[in-house]
Amino acid sequence: MSNLQLRVISAVVLAVVTLGLTWLGGLPFRLLSAAMTILIFYEWTRMCRPVAATGLGLLPDALLLVFVVALIAGLPASWLLLLGAVMVVVTVVVGSMRQTGQWDPSGLAYAAISGLSLALLRDGDHSGLVAILFLFAVVWATDISAYFVGRAVGGPKLAPSISPGKTQSGALGGAVGGVVAGLLLAATAGAGNLAVLGVVALVLSIVAQAGDLFESWVKRRHDRKDSGTLIPGHGGVMDRVDGLVAAAFALYVIGWISATADHPAQGLFPA
């Protein structure tokens, strides 16, 4: 089977599973978010740790498991945020004392924020469903539009020292595609604040592309081409969700400002 065939099959399977669990919401989607949290941290540590962790070096892994259990259990946002902050601080202190694991705290924060943002955005209501589908539409359209516009137009590179393949034209095309897709989804869902959501879609598209560049920078710092090999034909989980989780956090913060930390989607897509 060719690499292209593997990529197509993997993409279809991932899309079907993700959309199915997104539709269900609640516990099934929290389980998806928890699995993503674990896999992101797993790949992060495999890239960034010079040697395999043992003994107290496994403390970050144990703390992440505590966070994942709390996430699955549906604890309020305030508790999840506090737990996330505490485990990052503890990891910083222990790492400083042992002079090891300098990348573990940032990996914990990255993984925990990713899972928390997605789980709390989706929640279990209609507003959460629309919010996640809006997020998917913007991020996926940004990726697709950036790829095809970049290949068709070319031109100056966006960040050649970090990701040589990305172009400024692709970034602009991705932003336009993300905004259009987001507005189409919002209009289909019957949202009335389309002007505001257009601005939100633009912000999410920009943040998603920044998240993609951030992961590319981390890989370059550790001389890695892919974050892992878990997804046939695609590399690692982080390679697939880097832009998504960055945009999810941005949308979560925007929703939090508009509504509450526990039900952020209701601020943007009121039922």
Side-chain angles (χ1 to χ4, degrees):
M1 185 177 295
S2 69
N3 186 63
L4 177 59
Q5 290 174 317
L6 280 175
R7 288 178 64 88
V8 171
I9 293 173
S10 298
V12 171
V13 171
L14 286 172
V16 169
V17 172
T18 300
L19 291 174
L21 294 175
T22 299
W23 177 264
L24 292 173
L27 178 60
F29 192 82
R30 290 201 303 273
L31 288 170
L32 174 64
S33 301
M36 193 177 297
T37 301
I38 292 172
L39 291 173
I40 287 174
F41 189 65
Y42 171 81
E43 292 184 349
W44 181 283
T45 55
R46 292 309 176 274
M47 284 196 299
C48 301
R49 283 177 180 168
V51 295
T54 58
L56 285 176
L58 288 172
L59 177 63
D61 307 72
L63 290 173
L64 185 77
L65 288 178
V66 173
F67 178 85
V68 164
V69 170
L71 183 67
I72 294 172
L75 263 62
S78 56
W79 284 101
L80 291 173
L81 291 166
L82 177 61
L83 178 58
V86 168
M87 68 183 190
V88 170
V89 170
V90 169
T91 306
V92 169
V93 173
V94 173
S96 298
M97 293 171 59
R98 293 170 54 86
Q99 296 184 338
T100 57
Q102 293 90 342
W103 284 82
D104 281 355
S106 52
L108 273 176
Y110 183 68
I113 287 173
S114 299
L116 179 150
S117 299
L118 287 166
L120 293 179
L121 272 172
R122 175 58 185 95
D123 202 9
D125 55 17
H126 179 71
S127 296
L129 174 61
V130 177
I132 288 292
L133 293 179
F134 177 79
L135 174 70
F136 288 166
V138 172
V139 174
W140 292 349
T142 294
D143 287 346
I144 294 170
S145 300
Y147 175 78
F148 284 107
V149 172
R151 285 178 63 89
V153 178
K157 301 298 183 180
L158 180 63
S161 62
I162 298 175
S163 184
K166 291 181 173 58
T167 61
Q168 294 177 18
S169 62
L172 180 59
V176 173
V179 171
V180 171
L183 286 175
L184 286 175
L185 188 285
T188 302
N193 50 341
L194 293 182
V196 172
L197 291 175
V199 174
V200 172
L202 177 60
V203 171
L204 296 185
S205 181
I206 294 171
V207 171
Q209 295 187 65
D212 192 342
L213 288 174
F214 169 73
E215 199 235 351
S216 296
W217 174 77
V218 173
K219 289 190 295 186
R220 187 167 289 272
R221 282 291 304 270
H222 296 89
D223 195 27
R224 295 293 186 98
K225 180 179 183 296
D226 297 314
S227 64
T229 58
L230 291 175
I231 305 176
H234 286 273
V237 172
M238 284 177 61
D239 294 322
R240 295 300 95 205
V241 303
D242 47 11
L244 176 69
V245 295
F249 179 58
L251 186 59
Y252 174 73
V253 172
I254 293 170
W256 182 356
I257 293 171
S258 304
T260 67
D262 286 299
H263 306 287
Q266 294 179 6
L268 294 168
F269 301 98

